[in-house]
Amino acid sequence: MGTLLSRQSCQARLRSAEGMSLAEFMYPALQAYDFLHLHRHHGCRIQVGGHDQMGNIMSGYELVTKMTGTDVFGITVPLVTSTTGDKLGKTAGNAVWLNRDKTSPFELYQFFVRQQDNIVEKYLKLFTFLPLEEIAHIMEMHAKEPEKWGPQKRLAAEVTKLVHGREGLESAKRCTKALYHSSVEALEEMSDQELQELFRQATSAELMLEPGMTVLDLCRKANAIPDGPSGYRKITDGGVSINGNRVTNPETVLILGQHI
């Protein structure tokens, strides 16, 4: 009790307007018991966590050493934060996963490509095995040509390759070309899995091509435009693109090999 109450994080929560729940107060003790259980049943001697877990890991260290007399160890690592400085994780709802079903290679690649200049050098040192001299050179080149986003692209490539292999990296690059560079060639090369991953959050419709189907027919059947004259105008005003190419004639007939 004394140890838990003496911690600054605990005192700050107790003094705050929200207070502290019993579950929060007991959390370090429960995590400490986890460490003891893993040590006894699986020989676990090392616990790794973000540096915000220092107190919980220390509780485990103290419990295991007192109960068993065995030397155990705790390792803390810098927290990975979002571009706004918030913690990344399941609780925050913004976790980046290693599992492809949860975060696709494309999403992982894009997460690192979007990192800001003030954090990218740190991430190159944390998440890649590039020599420090090479990282320094990458940052020097970036200072001369910041518009190329060299460090971000290298970081994204290295991490994606580590997690998903070379094929995963190539998949991420294909998706990037298709989505951000309007590359029909990249779109044609994509697998069904890549297409599903790329457009995971998008509204989708699957339609059979009928002879004589026009752009207007397609857009209406896919519920991509409103009914009536406003939908027709949306096409003529340039609001519809097929495979990255703008189509302004609603009566254009869809052609295999060109539109599809």
Side-chain angles (χ1 to χ4, degrees):
M1 285 286 289
T3 304
L4 295 176
L5 285 168
S6 68
R7 288 187 180 148
Q8 286 183 330
S9 57
C10 182
Q11 290 177 19
R13 288 305 303 273
L14 287 171
R15 285 196 297 267
S16 70
E18 300 83 28
M20 190 177 196
S21 70
L22 179 63
E24 282 182 284
F25 181 71
M26 289 295 294
Y27 195 91
L30 295 170
Q31 187 166 322
Y33 186 76
D34 278 348
F35 197 0
L36 177 64
H37 179 85
L38 289 168
H39 175 67
R40 282 176 167 166
H41 294 272
H42 301 284
C44 176
R45 294 181 62 198
I46 298 174
Q47 187 174 178
V48 182
H51 65 62
D52 63 327
Q53 294 288 309
M54 172 67 84
N56 298 340
I57 291 174
M58 280 301 300
S59 295
Y61 165 80
E62 289 164 2
L63 181 65
V64 176
T65 51
K66 282 178 183 174
M67 296 289 287
T68 67
T70 309
D71 280 336
V72 292
F73 306 90
I75 298 173
T76 61
V77 294
L79 281 178
V80 185
T81 54
S82 68
T83 51
T84 57
D86 298 322
K87 176 181 174 180
L88 288 176
K90 290 177 290 185
T91 311
N94 58 0
V96 178
W97 301 86
L98 302 182
N99 185 325
R100 183 170 186 156
D101 294 335
K102 292 178 177 287
T103 299
S104 70
F106 167 71
E107 290 166 326
L108 185 73
Y109 183 88
Q110 287 300 320
F111 170 78
F112 285 103
V113 161
R114 290 195 298 265
Q115 294 304 315
Q116 296 174 346
D117 286 354
N118 61 355
I119 200 78
V120 69
E121 183 176 4
K122 176 185 174 184
Y123 280 6
L124 279 166
K125 292 174 180 176
L126 276 175
F127 298 125
T128 78
F129 292 104
L130 295 175
L132 294 179
E133 299 79 15
E134 188 172 348
I135 293 173
H137 175 69
I138 290 169
M139 296 310 298
E140 284 173 18
M141 296 301 293
H142 182 56
K144 296 174 184 174
E145 299 176 303
E147 72 281 358
K148 290 189 174 180
W149 289 66
Q152 285 87 347
K153 289 177 181 176
R154 186 64 185 276
L155 170 68
E158 291 291 326
V159 174
T160 306
K161 190 165 63 175
L162 275 173
V163 175
H164 296 291
R166 187 165 293 280
E167 174 50 38
L169 174 58
E170 292 305 317
S171 170
K173 287 182 174 179
R174 278 194 296 273
C175 293
T176 299
K177 283 181 184 175
L179 195 62
Y180 294 117
H181 302 286
S182 300
S183 171
V184 178
E185 292 79 12
L187 202 60
E188 288 173 344
E189 292 171 4
M190 289 168 63
S191 65
D192 287 349
Q193 182 183 18
E194 287 170 347
L195 285 166
Q196 289 168 2
E197 290 172 348
L198 183 61
F199 300 110
R200 189 178 285 169
Q201 305 301 324
T203 305
S204 64
E206 194 167 322
L207 305 170
M208 289 293 289
L209 176 64
E210 298 167 8
M213 184 185 278
T214 64
V215 171
L216 183 64
D217 297 333
L218 172 71
C219 291
R220 282 184 173 161
K221 288 188 176 184
N223 293 320
I225 58 171
D227 288 331
S230 62
Y232 194 93
R233 278 198 306 275
K234 179 159 272 191
I235 301 173
T236 58
D237 290 346
V240 171
S241 295
I242 297 179
N243 293 340
N245 297 313
R246 187 167 290 158
V247 182
T248 55
N249 182 2
E251 308 301 334
T252 299
V253 176
L254 298 176
I255 300 168
L256 276 170
Q258 181 180 334
H259 299 107
I260 298 172

